[in-house]
């Protein structure tokens, strides 16, 4: 789930409503990537002057023995013993203070110290629009040969899209490389041809970033090399955008690679723009794309021929060149890279990196520190073999997911609404013959949300008709889970089937985040790498399924454990672990989920223990939840910057005074989700069914839920706790209505099944009788 500073990334990431239908998707997952350190060159100059003044004062004080005023000489001890002791203590105190100031200056990296010179040579080759499906030994011999000896991955190129267009245009892609942060472009045209080594209208581009929500500091890459005494050269107008410093200049610029002498340059940025140029000119047919790809490969071959031995080569398809967004090519060759899949701590996924990582990778390869504002993380090599066809399949999965997500959610909502309508008639008229069928449908329906993640175990996107394949795969897993729910002796109990489905929902997602969050990548209710909102941990819908499943599972477990003390101990142990896993940076990394999960779980535990849920207790619990996520965020912040997630990044935003703006954007995104009518309708109908049908007395003056509560009182605690977590999650997360919609999709059908089971005579008498404790 997306926290206040989530993303793509990794810092990351995130923010996803990639798991929602298109009209529910908001630009999130990005707040975590948005850092407070995007400062202007003028601010840095001011800081440098301040640091120089501090350094001068320190040197003066040290030269005088740490005493500011040296006109008062120390006197003999025998004559002035008291004053001499005080003078010595004062001198010692001043020396300690000066040394402490010097140490802190070094620790916190205040400006003014010289940077180490760049080491080696890095060449960035940008091929806007290049996808893994474009590569073949015959059509792209140069790129294919490089892929055989380089590390490889899919590249998420998400920048700031133009309004109404969910793609990254070439200028935006190049500027994102320049800043190491998502950057905006004024339009979707080719880069302007420069006159010399200066970017045309650079200040207008700088001002555009200031008005953007990400406030990218373009020029960060070139400036970092320049500040370290290195030289940069750009070949092509797009490359100039990436290589320019804060003033929009590079050391040298060439229009053609044939004019380049690579000697003496530490950073070389070159482009092969044939694919994007052809697309921007008049669109492209399949044949036209093949020709453009072949031309780009020829240009890449000419660039590679110019590169000296031992240089680090970074290749990236830095933008889109189609009407829809795609994953693109990322390759790295050099001393630090082998032939396996690439990864980065921003994604934690082998074979998946981001465009902002390209900036950090170039600086790291040069031995330079990554400046503030660069949100990416350096690419690293893995031992997993890289297969261009498998990487092309990853992009195919993203494209199929984009096509099927909206109709899938529409169908899900309509089926759920129809199910509630039919169930209402059956419950009101007490059609006994239909009760058992309704119970089975309820269990299957409650298993559908977790099945949307388990479906990723099957490559449904690779078949000719992916939508039927997706629906069939999800339904297959749901039927399998329902079969287990009705297979064992627990099927006779009120909470037996409910406990099985809820337990699978909780444990499956818990194991997923503990092992890399693979089930959520490209899942119809997960996150989509192309949008770059989030790459690891709990997405918003996954959190809703996880928290609801966990609390309902614990309710069922407490019912079966029977003895209250043992039940409370088990529920407390598993619940605390589940919450910790949700927030822990290495697993769930879920900022906004922890407080809502804590509150819902605590309400469940209070009711389970027979205690009253008072306002004072709720307030204390809310404070505890906030304190827990604060501790987790501070622990993340204490790690090295390159290892932090968006939790630690948000701490930095609080320190720098930008937390208010982040929270305001999250609130706006949350309110905006109310306009998603399918999910809003699903939530309203589910709540209405729960309270107007299940909880309302019928002709016999007995509500179905009352019967279930009487036979399994733990159900009441679990249901109220799960709904509390969903409601609070709705209020404090940018996904808004998506969280209660998915939580209710789990909870209400399972509650219906429990209510029907409570009214169905058990096969064996006394199956649910429980001893007093």
């Amino acid at each position: 789930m997306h926290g206040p500073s989530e993303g793509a990334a990794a810092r990351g990431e995130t923010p996803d409503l990639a798991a929602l239908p298109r009209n529910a998707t908001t630009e999130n997952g990005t707040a975590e990537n948005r850092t407070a350190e995007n400062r202007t060159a003028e601010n840095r100059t001011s800081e440098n002057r301040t640091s120089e003044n501090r350094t001068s004062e320190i040197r003066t004080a040290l030269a005088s023995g740490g005493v500011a005023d040296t006109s008062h000489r120390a006197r003999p001890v025998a004559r002035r013993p008291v004053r001499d002791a005080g003078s010595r203590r004062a001198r010692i105190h001043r020396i300690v203070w000066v040394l402490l100031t010097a140490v802190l200056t070094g620790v916190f990296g205040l400006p003014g110290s010289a940077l180490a010179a760049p080491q080696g040579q890095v060449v960035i080759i940008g091929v806007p629009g290049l996808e893994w499906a474009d590569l073949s030994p015959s059509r792209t011999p140069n790129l294919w040969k490089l892929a055989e000896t380089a590390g490889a991955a899919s590249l998420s190129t998400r920048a700031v899209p133009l309004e109404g267009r969910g793609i990254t245009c070439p200028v935006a892609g190049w500027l994102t490389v320049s800043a190491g942060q998502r950057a905006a472009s004024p339009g979707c045209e080719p880069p302007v041809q420069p006159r010399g080594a200066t970017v045309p209208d650079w200040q207008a581009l700088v001002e555009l970033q200031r008005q953007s929500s990400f406030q990218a500091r373009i020029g960060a890459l070139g400036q970092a090399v320049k500040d370290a005494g290195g030289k940069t050269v750009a070949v092509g107008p797009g490359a100039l955008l990436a290589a320019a410093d804060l003033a929009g200049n590079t050391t040298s610029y060439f229009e053609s690679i044939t004019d380049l002498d690579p000697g003496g340059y530490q950073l070389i940025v070159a482009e092969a723009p044939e694919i994007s140029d052809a697309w921007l000119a008049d669109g492209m047919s399949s044949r036209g794309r093949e020709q453009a790809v072949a031309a780009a490969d020829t240009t890449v071959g000419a660039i590679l021929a110019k590169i000296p031995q031992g240089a680090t080569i970074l290749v990236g398809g830095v933008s889109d060149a189609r009407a829809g967004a795609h994953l693109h090519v990322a390759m790295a060759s050099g001393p630090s890279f082998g032939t396996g899949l690439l990864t980065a701590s921003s994604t934690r996924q082998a074979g998946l990196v981001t465009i902002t990582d390209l900036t950090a990778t170039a600086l790291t390869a040069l031995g330079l520190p990554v400046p503030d504002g660069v949100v990416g993380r350096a690419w690293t090599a893995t031992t997993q073999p890289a297969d261009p066809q498998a990487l092309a399949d990853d992009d195919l999965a993203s494209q199929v997911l984009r096509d099927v997500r909206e109709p899938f959610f529409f169908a899900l909502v309509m089926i759920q609404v129809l199910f509630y309508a039919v169930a209402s008639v059956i419950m009101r008229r007490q059609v006994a013959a239909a009760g058992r069928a309704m119970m089975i449908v309820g269990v299957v329906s409650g298993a559908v949300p977790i099945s949307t993640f388990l479906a990723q175990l099957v490559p449904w996107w690779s078949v000719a008709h992916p939508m039927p394949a997706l629906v069939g795969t999800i339904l297959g897993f749901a039927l399998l889970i329902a079969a287990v729910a009705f297979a064992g002796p627990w099927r006779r109990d009120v909470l037996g089937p409910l406990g099985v489905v809820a337990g699978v929902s909780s444990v499956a997602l818990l194991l997923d985040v503990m092992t890399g969050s693979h089930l959520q990548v490209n899942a119809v209710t997960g996150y989509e790498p192309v949008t770059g909102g989030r790459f690891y941990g709990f997405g918003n819908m996954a959190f809703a399924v996880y928290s609801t499943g966990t609390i309902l599972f614990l309710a069922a477990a407490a019912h079966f454990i029977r003895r209250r003390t043992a039940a409370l101990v088990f529920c407390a142990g598993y619940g605390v672990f589940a919450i910790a896993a949700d927030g822990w940076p290495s697993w769930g990394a879920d900022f906004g989920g922890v407080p809502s999960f804590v509150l819902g779980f605590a309400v469940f535990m209070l009711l389970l223990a027979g205690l009253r849920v008072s306002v004072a207790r709720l307030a204390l619990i809310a404070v505890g939840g906030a304190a827990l996520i604060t501790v987790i965020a501070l622990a993340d912040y204490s790690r090295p910057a390159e290892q932090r997630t968006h939790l630690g990044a948000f701490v930095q935003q609080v320190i720098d005074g930008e937390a208010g703006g982040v929270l305001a954007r999250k609130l706006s995104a949350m309110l905006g989700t109310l306009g998603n009518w399918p999910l809003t309708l699903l939530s309203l109908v589910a709540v209405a069914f729960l309270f107007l049908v299940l909880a309302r007395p019928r002709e016999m003056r007995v509500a179905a839920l009352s019967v279930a509560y009487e036979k399994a009182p733990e159900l009441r605690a679990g249901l109220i706790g799960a709904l509390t977590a969903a409601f609070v999650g709705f209020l404090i997360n940018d996904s808004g209505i998506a969280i209660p919609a998915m939580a209710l999709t789990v909870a209400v059908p399972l509650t219906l099944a429990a209510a029907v089971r409570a009214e169905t005579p058990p096969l064996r008498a006394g199956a649910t009788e429980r001893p007093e404790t």
Side-chain angles (χ1 to χ4, degrees):
M1 176 178 309
H2 293 195
S5 59
E6 290 190 8
R11 191 174 283 187
E13 10 189 247
T14 122
D16 67 66
L17 283 195
L20 299 183
R22 260 177 229 167
N23 58 359
T25 302
T26 61
E27 186 61 45
N28 79 45
T30 56
E32 68 267 328
N33 291 338
R34 191 175 298 117
T35 58
E37 296 91 79
N38 296 340
R39 296 173 292 186
T40 61
E42 293 81 1
N43 288 338
R44 288 183 176 270
T45 302
S46 175
E47 290 177 3
N48 289 337
R49 291 172 179 168
T50 301
S51 179
E52 290 170 1
N53 292 338
R54 286 202 194 107
T55 304
S56 177
E57 293 171 1
I58 292 171
R59 288 173 177 170
T60 302
L62 288 174
S64 62
V67 182
D69 185 359
T70 58
S71 61
H72 300 287
R73 301 281 182 178
R75 303 225 174 121
V77 176
R79 296 178 58 186
R80 305 292 296 271
V82 177
R83 291 186 62 182
D84 269 345
S87 176
R88 282 197 299 272
R89 283 195 296 271
R91 177 176 297 180
I92 292 172
H93 290 166
R94 290 177 180 177
I95 291 175
V96 170
W97 177 255
V98 170
L99 292 176
L100 179 61
T101 303
V103 169
L104 291 176
T105 300
V107 168
F108 289 102
L110 295 177
S113 59
L115 295 174
Q119 302 172 7
Q121 189 175 56
V122 170
V123 181
I124 298 176
I125 304 176
V127 191
L130 182 65
E131 302 164 10
W132 280 108
D134 294 324
L135 270 63
S136 71
S138 58
R139 184 168 59 245
T140 58
N142 296 301
L143 286 165
W144 191 266
K145 182 179 179 180
L146 179 63
E148 292 177 337
T149 59
S154 295
L155 182 70
S156 176
T157 59
R158 189 70 165 181
V160 179
L162 296 174
E163 186 175 356
R165 303 185 69 177
I167 62 173
T168 296
C169 295
V171 170
W174 284 114
L175 290 176
T176 297
V177 175
S178 172
Q181 172 62 285
R182 296 186 182 187
S185 62
C188 209
E189 294 84 22
V192 178
Q193 290 289 341
R195 295 181 179 179
T198 300
V199 177
D201 299 323
W202 177 257
Q203 288 305 315
L205 294 174
V206 171
E207 185 59 32
L208 178 63
Q209 310 312 316
R210 290 174 179 167
Q211 298 172 4
S212 167
S213 57
F214 292 92
Q215 298 184 348
R217 183 171 172 264
I218 57 175
L221 173 60
Q223 190 68 40
V225 177
K226 179 181 178 180
D227 288 345
K231 295 182 178 181
T232 61
V233 60
V235 181
L240 181 61
L241 293 171
D245 58 21
L246 293 177
N249 302 317
T250 59
T251 307
S252 302
Y253 172 78
F254 299 99
E255 292 185 5
S256 172
I257 189 63
T258 57
D259 300 326
L260 173 66
D261 180 1
Y265 297 106
Q266 285 69 46
L267 176 64
I268 301 173
V269 184
E271 65 176 309
E274 288 81 1
I275 302 174
S276 59
D277 283 354
W279 175 67
L280 291 172
D282 54 3
M284 278 190 296
S285 62
S286 297
R287 177 60 179 167
R289 183 175 182 86
E290 291 178 359
Q291 293 174 344
V293 167
D297 180 77
T298 301
T299 302
V300 170
I303 297 171
L304 293 174
K306 285 274 191 175
I307 297 174
Q309 192 74 18
T312 296
I313 303 170
L314 306 176
V315 178
V318 296
S319 75
D320 292 303
R322 294 182 188 267
H326 281 255
L327 294 175
H328 296 276
V329 169
M331 288 190 282
S333 175
S336 301
F337 300 100
T339 58
L341 290 174
L342 299 173
T343 188
S345 60
S346 58
T347 66
R348 300 185 188 175
Q349 303 288 345
L352 179 62
V353 294
T354 74
I355 187 172
T356 54
D357 297 334
L358 181 56
T359 313
T361 305
L363 293 173
T364 301
L366 289 171
L368 300 178
V370 178
D372 296 340
V374 174
V375 301
R377 299 290 182 261
W379 298 346
T380 56
T382 71
T383 57
Q384 300 182 41
D387 178 13
Q389 184 56 52
L391 293 171
D393 288 344
D394 291 340
D395 181 48
L396 173 63
S398 292
Q399 302 312 306
V400 173
L401 177 63
R402 182 180 59 194
D403 293 335
V404 304
R405 172 172 284 137
E406 188 170 350
F408 171 82
F409 272 94
F410 181 80
L412 176 65
V413 170
M414 293 300 102
I415 292 173
Q416 288 276 312
V417 171
L418 179 62
F419 170 63
Y420 292 140
V422 173
S424 299
V425 174
I426 294 174
M427 295 291 289
R428 286 297 178 187
R429 296 185 178 181
Q430 300 183 10
V431 182
R436 190 173 299 276
M438 186 170 59
M439 179 178 61
I440 296 174
V441 173
V443 171
V444 173
S445 180
V448 165
I450 185 59
S451 298
T452 62
F453 298 105
L454 296 176
Q456 295 307 103
L457 297 173
V458 179
W460 53 268
W461 55 85
S462 61
V463 302
H465 302 285
M467 183 63 179
L470 171 63
V471 173
T473 304
I474 292 174
L475 186 59
F477 276 105
L479 290 172
L480 178 61
I481 296 171
V484 175
F486 289 112
W490 51 78
R491 69 182 183 275
R492 302 184 180 94
D493 199 278
V494 174
L495 299 187
L498 176 148
V500 171
V501 176
V504 171
S505 300
S506 175
V507 174
L509 288 174
L510 174 62
L511 293 176
D512 181 50
V513 297
M514 293 174 65
T515 56
S517 307
H518 303 298
L519 293 181
Q520 296 181 64
V521 178
N522 279 328
V524 70
T525 49
Y527 33 76
E528 183 183 356
V530 168
T531 61
R534 191 178 180 95
F535 301 98
Y536 60 87
F538 276 115
N540 293 310
M541 288 193 171
F543 165 76
V545 176
Y546 175 65
S547 60
T548 303
T550 297
I551 295 175
L552 291 180
F553 166 65
L554 292 178
H559 177 69
F560 280 96
I561 292 174
R562 298 176 181 272
R563 298 193 178 276
R564 175 172 294 179
T565 301
L568 289 174
V569 171
F570 174 80
C571 291
Y574 184 85
V576 170
F577 180 76
I579 292 172
D582 178 43
W584 197 248
S586 299
W587 292 348
D590 186 6
F591 194 103
V594 170
S596 55
F597 202 171
V598 166
L599 197 60
F601 173 71
V603 168
F604 161 71
M605 290 296 293
L606 288 174
L607 294 174
L608 187 65
L611 300 176
R612 188 170 64 91
V613 180
S614 64
V615 175
R617 283 174 175 164
L618 287 178
L620 288 175
I621 293 167
V623 171
L628 177 60
I629 192 59
T630 299
V631 170
I632 294 175
L634 289 173
D636 188 37
Y637 179 72
S638 67
R639 301 194 298 174
E642 65 275 7
Q643 299 179 15
R644 294 175 190 161
T645 68
H646 58 275
L647 303 178
F650 182 67
V651 174
Q652 186 64 57
Q653 290 173 325
V654 172
I655 294 173
D656 294 328
E658 291 196 353
V662 173
L663 296 177
R665 288 189 292 269
K666 293 294 179 181
L667 176 61
S668 175
M670 183 273 287
L671 295 175
T673 63
L674 295 175
N676 180 276
W677 71 265
L679 295 182
T680 302
L681 175 63
L682 177 59
S683 300
L684 294 176
V685 171
V687 170
F689 177 80
L690 181 64
F691 289 101
L692 299 181
V693 178
L694 293 183
R696 184 177 179 180
R698 296 168 298 178
E699 294 178 2
M700 297 173 56
R701 309 307 299 169
V702 178
L705 269 182
S706 297
V707 178
Y709 289 164
E710 181 181 351
K711 294 187 176 183
E714 299 84 0
L715 175 60
R716 177 175 176 270
L719 184 59
I720 294 176
L723 294 180
T724 300
F727 179 71
V728 177
F730 161 71
L731 294 178
I732 67 175
N733 285 278
D734 55 3
S735 287
I737 197 64
I739 294 175
M742 191 56 60
L744 290 166
T745 302
V746 177
V748 175
L750 294 180
T751 302
L752 169 63
V756 173
R757 170 58 75 196
E759 295 183 318
T760 302
L763 297 180
R764 290 187 305 175
T768 60
E769 292 180 2
R770 308 179 61 190
E772 295 296 331
T773 57

